[in-house]
Amino acid sequence: MVIKLENLTKIFQPGDAPAVDNLTLEVDEGDTCVLVGPSGCGKTTTMKMVNRLIEPTDGKIYVENEDVSKKNPIQLRLNIGYVIQEIGLFPHMSIAENIATVPRELRWPKQKIQERVDELLSMVGLDPELFRNRRPSDLSGGQRQRIGVARALSADPPLMLMDEPFGALDPITRSYLQNEFLRIQEKIKKTIIFVTHDIDEAIKMGTKIAIMREGKLVQYATPDELLSAPADEFVVNLIGGNYSIKRLHLIRVEEILKEPFTVSPEDSLDEAKEVMEKSQLELVLAVNGEKHLEGLVTPSSLRKEGERVGDVMDTPDLTVDSGATLNDALSVMLTNGEGYALVVGDENRLQGVVTLNAIMEALQDNEK
Amino acid sequence: MRNKWVKRSIYIAILLAIFVGYPWYNIANPADATVARGLMPENVIKYGQDHLVLWGAAILVATAIGVAAGILISRPQFRFVAPVVVNIANIGQTVPSIGVLAIFMGLLGMGFSTAVFALIVYGILPILRNTYAGMITISPGIIEASRGMGMTPYSILRRIELPLALPVITAGIRTSSVMIVGAATLATFIAAGGLGAIIVTGLSVMRDQLFYTGAVMAASLAILLDYILWIIEEEAQA
C-alpha cells in the first residue's frame, strides 16, 4: 500500500497561514512513516487528510495510486485503521463491541466477528476470556490503548493511521507498548502513518521520519540518516543533542544478545560453581527444560546453605522483553545498579543476556 | 438480579396500593352525602382513566417531537439555530401550566384534544433541551474516532450518540412526565376531565376529603409513572 501526498495544502480560514503547506511525501509499502514536529506544525492535519476527516484545500493524496478525493469517504475509512489517544474508545460498549466496530459496519457474520475479536485480544496480549465483556472504564490506560490498536486492526486494513497512540501513557507503559507494537508490526507489516511530537518515539517507531515545521516538510529520512545528517538547525534542535543516547532507541537488544550460562534448578551447587567459573559475568541463570527462566545464581547465592540450585537461587528481576531497545535495557540496568539485563521472550523463555559492555561496543560500531 | 426485581415490585406495589387504596377507603367511608356524590366509583375510575390517557398521549408525542427536534438542532448544519430554540424553550417553560392551557383554549376551544395538545407543547420543552444537551456533551474525540473508522452518520447516531445521550434524554422524559401528570389536573378547567375534576369539586363544595383524594391520586400516579420510567431507563442501559 503506497501512499503519495502531492503538493498537499490546507488553509482553514481564508487569509490564515496554511496549516499544511505544499507538502509532498511518499510512503512505501510496509513503512512506518512518523510525522513529527512541534504542536501546530500540521502533522495531525496531514494525517486526517489521508482518511478525509479533513478535506485538503489543494493537492492530491493517492492511496495505492487511487486519488482518495474520488473515493467514497466511508469505504475509504473502512479500509484504513485509525488509532487515536485513549478517549476514542466507546465507553458504553464492551471491549468486544468496541473491537467489532468496523466488522459490524461491514456486516460480517456474528461467528466471524467473535473469532476475530478473540484473535485480536490475544494478539495484543489480553486474555479474551477475561477482557471480552469488560468496559473501557475497567481497564488501565495501557490496556485501553491496546484495545485501540486491536480495534484499528479488526478488519485487517493494509494502512493504519495512528495519532499519538501512546501519548497519554506513563513512560514505562509507553515504552512497553511501543516494543509490543513493533513486534506486532513485524508480523503484520502494515503501512503506517504515525503522528507524534516526541522525537525519541519517532526514532524508535519509524522506518522513515518526516520532520514538519509550520506546515512544511523540513526533512524526510530514515532515523539513521536523520541522526547522522540533520538537514538544518531546526532538526538539530528537535533531536536535541545526545546523538549516541538517541541511537540507543534504534538498536534492539536482540542484535547484541549474549548466550547465557545456564544450569537447571535440579543441579547441585558444585555444578553451578563450575559453570560460574566459566562465565566472565559471575552470573548463572537457572532454567528448566523448556528454557523458562526460573532463577538467578550469583556468587552470593552460592554461599547460601543448600544442596541444589533451586534452594539458593534468587528471583530473576532485571528482565526486558525481546523487542526492547538498548535504551530500555540500559534504563533497567541503571535503575537496579547492575551491569546486565536478562532478555526474555514469550512465556518467560530466556533468550539471552545484555551487558553494559555489549551496549557500548554496539554504539561504537554504529558510530563508524 | 432477582433481589433487584423483588425490590422494584415491592415499591410498585406500595405506590399502586396508595393510588388505589386511598380513594377506595374514602369511597367506602364518605363523611357525608356530598362527598359520596363526588366520589361515585364509576366517576373516580373515569377520571383516573382520563388522566392516564391525557398523560400517555402527551408524553408519547412530546417524546417523539422533543427527541427528534433535539437531535436535529444538535447536527452541525443546524447548530446555529440551537441557542434560539433552547432559549424559546426556556422562556416557554416559565409560562405557568394553567397559562398554557388558557392559550390553547383560546386557539382551539374547550375539550379533550385541546388539553392533550397543550400538554404536548408543555412536555416537549424539557425533552428537547435535554436531548440537545445530551448530544452536544459527547466527547468530540469519540465522534471523531467513529467517523475515522468509517461509520456512517446514521450508525454514529444510533450506535454512539443516542446510547451515550440516553441517560440525559430519559432524565428529560421523566421530568416532562411528572410535569404532565401535574398539569393534567388542570385539564378539568377546559372540560377535559382527569383527576383535577375531583380536586376542583372538593374545593367548590368545601370538602377536604374530596380534594385530598384527587390530590393523593395525582401525586401517587406521578411518582408511580416516574418510577416505571426509571426502571425502563435502567434496563435500556444494562
Side-chain angles (χ1 to χ4, degrees), chain A residues 48 74 77 82 92 104-105, chain B residues 142 144 147 150 155 159:
Chain A
K48 285 181 182 170
I74 301 290
R77 290 172 195 155
Y82 188 52
H92 61 298
R104 214 171 37 184
E105 290 293 307
Chain B
I142 287 176
E144 199 198 279
R147 290 213 313 135
S155 286
R159 296 219 164 100

Side-chain angles (χ1 to χ4, degrees), chain A residues 205-275:
Chain A
M205 306 302 288
T207 53
K208 279 292 200 66
I209 297 176
I211 295 190
M212 291 181 67
R213 179 194 193 184
E214 290 167 7
K216 290 195 178 70
L217 186 64
V218 180
Q219 186 171 13
Y220 188 45
T222 65
D224 228 6
E225 286 163 6
L226 198 71
L227 290 174
S228 43
D232 63 12
E233 198 68 11
F234 176 77
V235 179
V236 171
N237 284 333
L238 193 71
I239 300 171
N242 286 332
Y243 283 58
S244 309
I245 290 184
K246 304 277 178 200
R247 265 180 216 284
L248 292 173
H249 291 291
L250 278 177
I251 310 169
R252 317 234 150 261
V253 287
E254 286 161 323
E255 297 166 36
I256 60 161
L257 277 188
K258 284 218 174 0
E259 191 61 33
F261 287 85
T262 57
V263 291
S264 146
E266 307 305 316
D267 289 345
S268 72
L269 289 189
D270 287 335
E271 283 172 279
K273 270 175 201 156
E274 256 176 60
V275 178

Side-chain angles (χ1 to χ4, degrees), chain B:
Chain B
M1 184 62 209
R2 250 176 70 202
N3 193 12
K4 183 175 82 177
W5 283 104
V6 170
K7 240 164 79 182
R8 287 171 178 181
S9 313
I10 292 173
Y11 202 69
I12 290 177
I14 292 172
L15 287 165
L16 265 177
I18 297 171
F19 180 66
V20 176
Y22 189 75
W24 191 307
Y25 175 82
N26 285 329
I27 290 169
N29 306 288
D32 56 22
T34 315
V35 173
R37 228 176 300 122
L39 286 180
M40 306 248 282
E42 60 270 27
N43 284 350
V44 175
I45 290 169
K46 170 89 178 41
Y47 292 142
Q49 277 175 352
D50 285 351
H51 212 96
L52 263 176
V53 174
L54 282 169
W55 171 84
I59 196 72
L60 275 180
V61 180
T63 300
I65 298 176
V67 171
I71 291 171
L72 196 68
I73 60 170
S74 71
R75 300 300 89 188
Q77 307 91 295
F78 294 109
R79 217 169 259 189
F80 68 97
V81 298
V84 181
V85 175
V86 171
N87 272 322
I88 292 175
N90 282 337
I91 293 168
Q93 208 73 87
T94 63
V95 178
S97 36
I98 189 117
V100 177
L101 274 176
I103 292 167
F104 282 98
M105 191 188 71
L107 293 172
L108 301 171
M110 311 269 277
F112 192 80
S113 43
T114 306
V116 172
F117 201 79
L119 290 174
I120 289 169
V121 172
Y122 194 55
I124 285 174
L125 309 177
I127 300 175
L128 174 109
R129 207 171 36 194
N130 277 37
T131 303
Y132 175 70
M135 301 296 276
I136 60 159
T137 44
I138 297 170
S139 145
I142 287 176
I143 305 294
E144 199 198 279
S146 31
R147 290 213 313 135
M149 280 188 293
M151 293 179 80
T152 58
Y154 172 75
S155 286
I156 297 175
L157 180 66
R158 202 173 72 87
R159 296 219 164 100
I160 312 295
E161 292 180 290
L162 279 180
L164 284 174
L166 190 68
V168 189
I169 297 175
T170 48
I173 296 174
R174 286 171 57 201
T175 308
S176 177
S177 155
V178 171
M179 280 171 39
I180 289 173
V181 176
T185 56
L186 304 170
T188 182
F189 289 119
I190 56 170
L195 294 167
I198 305 175
I199 302 174
V200 173
T201 312
L203 287 169
S204 58
V205 299
M206 292 196 286
R207 291 294 187 283
D208 53 5
Q209 200 180 5
L210 271 181
F211 64 72
Y212 277 144
T213 305
V216 167
M217 284 179 81
S220 55
L221 184 65
I223 300 171
L224 177 66
L225 293 172
D226 185 55
Y227 189 68
I228 291 171
L229 288 178
W230 177 80
I231 292 174
I232 295 172
E233 175 190 335
E234 289 280 291
E235 290 307 304
Q237 273 173 62

